[in-house]
Amino acid sequence: MNDAPASLRVAVLGCGVVGTEVVRRLLEHTADFSARTGADLELTGIAVRSLDTARDPVVPRDLLTDDPAALIAGADLVVEVMGGIEPARTLILEALRTGAGVITANKALLAKHGPELYEAADAAHVDLFYEAAVAGAVPVVRGVRESLAGDRINRVLGIVNGTTNYILDEMTTNELDFAAALRQAQDLGYAESDPTADVEGLDAAAKAAILAALAFHSRIALTDVSAEGITAITPEDIASAAQTGHVIKLLAVAEQGREPDGRAGVAVRVYPALVPVEHPLGNVRGPFNAVLVEAEAAGTLMFYGAGAGGVATSSAVLGDLVAAARNRVSGGKAPSESRYAELTPLGADQIHTRFQIRMAIADRPGVLAEVAAAVAEHGVSFETVRQQGLPGGPAELVIGTHEASESALAATLAALDTLDVVLRISSVLRVEGI
C-alpha cells in the first residue's frame, strides 16, 4: 500500500522475565521484524512499576517510564506483559480506545474480562491478540481460531500448566514427594514463590476458559470452570498409577454435551487424571505443554512445546506483534470474537467420566462381593479390578469404572464409606485417554 506507515510505535507494559525477553529480541532483530512486517517497529517505551529496580542490561534505561498512560497515548501497538487484573485491564481498554492494537499474555484478565476487551477491540476496529496467554510458545490459539475455523471441534484435552507438569513428572521419574518437587520447581524458576495459582489448578482453569470459548464459539467465564489441583497427590498415588500403566497429569478438559432437556452445552474442567503411559499426553515431560484437539474432519491434532519461561513465551508475544503490525500495514484485522453458538455451561454431572478408586479393605473372603454390590447399587460398573496385600496390614483394592456421572460416583463413595470391610478410601482419580 502506498500509504502504509514507514514505522510503527511499540509500547511495552511490564518488564519482568517475559517483558525483558520481548525487549531483547525486538532490539536484537530489528531488521528481521521490519522485513517481516513491512514497517520499522520502533520501541518507544517500557512501562514499569519502579524505575529503581535492577534490570537486565539489555533493557535501555532511557526507555523506562512509570507513566504507562502517557506511553500508551502515542503508541500504534501495545504489548501487555505486566500481568494481574488492574491496572492491566484499564490500560488495555485505554489502548484499544485510542486505536492501538494490543498483544497480551494475561490469561487471568482474559478469563475474567475477555468479553469486555473483545467488544472494545471490535468497537475500535483494532486487533487484540493473546496467543501467549494459553500455552506459552505453543500456537494453539491460532490453530483453534484460524486453522480449524472450517471444522467442528468436539473436545479439547491438554496439559496447559508447565509448573504442575514438572512437579508431577519429578514425582514420577525421581520419586519425590509433592513438597520436594515443588521446591525444586521453585529453585529452577518454574514455580512462583506463591505457587497457589499453579498447584490449585487456577492458572490452568483460566487457560481452559479461553480455549473452550475459542473451540466452541461461546462465552465461557472463569466461574464456569471447575478446578481441582494437585496438592493431594501422594507418592502412593504415583506408584499405584504406574502399576496400572498410567501417569498422573493435570488436565484441562473442554467438551460438548447436553442438558437434561436436550440443549447443547459445554463442560470445562481441570483435574489431575490418570493417563496411559503410551498416550501422547502421557509422554509430555517436564515443564512442557501439550493440547489435543479432537475435530470432526481433521481428527485428533496435537499442539506441543515449551509452555513456560520468558524465552518461550516471548516467541508467542512477538508472533502476535508481527501479525498485528502486518495488519496495521495492510489495513487488515484479526478475527473477532466468535460466540454465535451460545452454548450453556454444563454442570459436572452432564459429562460421564471413567474413575479409578483405590481403597484399603479387610483381607477376608467375600469382601469383593460386598464392594461390588455397593458400587452396582448406584449405577456404576467395574471395568478393571486389582487386589493386592499391603505390607503388614490390609489389602488394597483398585477399581477402574466404566463411564459414570459425578453424582453416581459421589453416591458410590458414600455407600462404600459405610461398609465395615472398607477401611479407607485412599484416592479417587479420573481416567482419560482411553
Side-chain angles (χ1 to χ4, degrees), residues 277-362:
V277 172
E278 66 274 11
H279 189 274
L281 294 179
N283 289 297
V284 178
R285 304 288 304 277
F288 281 76
N289 284 185
V291 179
L292 290 179
V293 179
E294 298 174 8
E296 194 171 84
T300 300
L301 305 175
M302 181 168 173
F303 299 84
Y304 168 82
V311 176
T313 304
S314 72
S315 173
V317 171
L318 289 166
D320 279 349
L321 180 61
V322 167
R326 285 172 175 168
N327 285 345
R328 200 81 176 191
V329 169
S330 67
K333 184 181 177 301
S336 300
E337 178 193 19
S338 175
R339 58 187 181 94
Y340 72 89
E342 296 184 344
L343 299 179
T344 58
L346 296 177
D349 216 40
Q350 304 308 317
I351 299 293
H352 288 202
T353 309
R354 289 180 173 86
F355 297 91
Q356 187 179 97
I357 306 169
R358 186 165 60 88
M359 67 190 85
I361 59 172

Side-chain angles (χ1 to χ4, degrees), residues 95-144:
L96 295 171
R97 187 190 68 77
T98 59
V102 171
I103 297 90
T104 179
N106 198 330
K107 65 264 184 181
L109 178 61
L110 288 167
K112 189 171 183 179
H113 294 288
E116 180 183 21
L117 302 181
Y118 304 144
E119 289 174 2
D122 283 344
H125 303 289
V126 293
D127 288 334
L128 175 63
F129 282 104
Y130 50 92
E131 183 68 72
V134 174
V138 185
V140 65
V141 169
R142 187 168 281 106
V144 170

Side-chain angles (χ1 to χ4, degrees), residues 120-365:
D122 283 344
H125 303 289
V126 293
D127 288 334
L128 175 63
F129 282 104
Y130 50 92
E131 183 68 72
V134 174
V138 185
V140 65
V141 169
R142 187 168 281 106
V144 170
R145 184 178 61 187
E146 299 177 32
S147 299
L148 292 173
D151 210 336
R152 177 185 176 87
I153 294 174
N154 298 317
R155 196 167 194 251
V156 178
L157 175 74
I159 298 165
V160 294
N161 183 274
T163 300
T164 51
N165 200 59
Y166 177 84
I167 291 171
L168 291 171
D169 191 40
E170 286 297 303
M171 293 178 71
T172 301
T173 58
N174 292 321
E175 300 182 355
L176 300 183
D177 63 17
F178 173 79
L182 172 58
R183 284 195 301 272
Q184 190 164 292
Q186 289 171 321
D187 290 342
L188 292 170
Y190 296 143
E192 302 287 345
S193 56
D194 179 1
T196 303
D198 292 322
V199 300
E200 295 294 350
L202 306 178
D203 174 86
K207 296 171 179 178
I210 296 169
L211 270 179
L214 287 170
F216 300 111
H217 306 280
S218 302
R219 284 188 170 173
I220 306 296
L222 185 57
T223 52
D224 297 325
V225 184
S226 63
E228 179 184 333
I230 65 168
T231 55
I233 300 298
T234 66
E236 291 75 22
D237 293 326
I238 299 290
S240 177
Q243 290 175 352
T244 58
H246 295 87
V247 291
I248 299 176
K249 298 291 185 183
L250 184 71
L251 298 182
V253 184
E255 59 190 313
Q256 290 205 52
R258 293 198 175 275
E259 297 274 19
D261 62 6
R263 286 181 300 151
V266 58
V268 190
R269 301 160 290 165
V270 169
Y271 46 66
L274 293 162
V275 178
V277 172
E278 66 274 11
H279 189 274
L281 294 179
N283 289 297
V284 178
R285 304 288 304 277
F288 281 76
N289 284 185
V291 179
L292 290 179
V293 179
E294 298 174 8
E296 194 171 84
T300 300
L301 305 175
M302 181 168 173
F303 299 84
Y304 168 82
V311 176
T313 304
S314 72
S315 173
V317 171
L318 289 166
D320 279 349
L321 180 61
V322 167
R326 285 172 175 168
N327 285 345
R328 200 81 176 191
V329 169
S330 67
K333 184 181 177 301
S336 300
E337 178 193 19
S338 175
R339 58 187 181 94
Y340 72 89
E342 296 184 344
L343 299 179
T344 58
L346 296 177
D349 216 40
Q350 304 308 317
I351 299 293
H352 288 202
T353 309
R354 289 180 173 86
F355 297 91
Q356 187 179 97
I357 306 169
R358 186 165 60 88
M359 67 190 85
I361 59 172
D363 193 4
R364 63 171 187 258

Side-chain angles (χ1 to χ4, degrees), residues 8-88:
L8 295 170
R9 296 161 296 178
V10 179
V12 175
L13 309 183
C15 197
V17 176
V18 177
T20 298
E21 288 301 323
V22 168
V23 169
R24 182 195 310 277
R25 296 187 64 201
L26 269 176
L27 296 177
E28 290 180 352
H29 304 290
T30 302
D32 288 338
F33 286 117
S34 296
R36 294 171 190 176
T37 63
D40 293 335
L41 299 186
E42 179 191 357
L43 181 60
T44 57
I46 308 158
V48 295
R49 290 186 175 87
S50 172
L51 297 175
D52 299 324
T53 301
R55 303 189 186 279
D56 190 302
V58 75
V59 178
R61 302 291 302 183
D62 61 333
L63 290 182
L64 297 178
T65 176
D66 57 5
D67 187 356
L71 182 60
I72 286 171
D76 298 303
L77 299 168
V78 173
V79 175
E80 185 274 307
V81 285
M82 61 197 309
I85 303 301
E86 289 292 354

Side-chain angles (χ1 to χ4, degrees), residues 375-406:
V375 171
E377 180 183 354
H378 299 285
V380 178
S381 60
F382 289 2
E383 185 173 37
T384 61
V385 177
R386 181 172 60 86
Q387 183 175 340
Q388 65 180 20
L390 295 175
E396 181 177 75
L397 181 65
V398 180
I399 298 170
T401 76
H402 288 286
E403 289 188 348
S405 67
E406 296 280 348

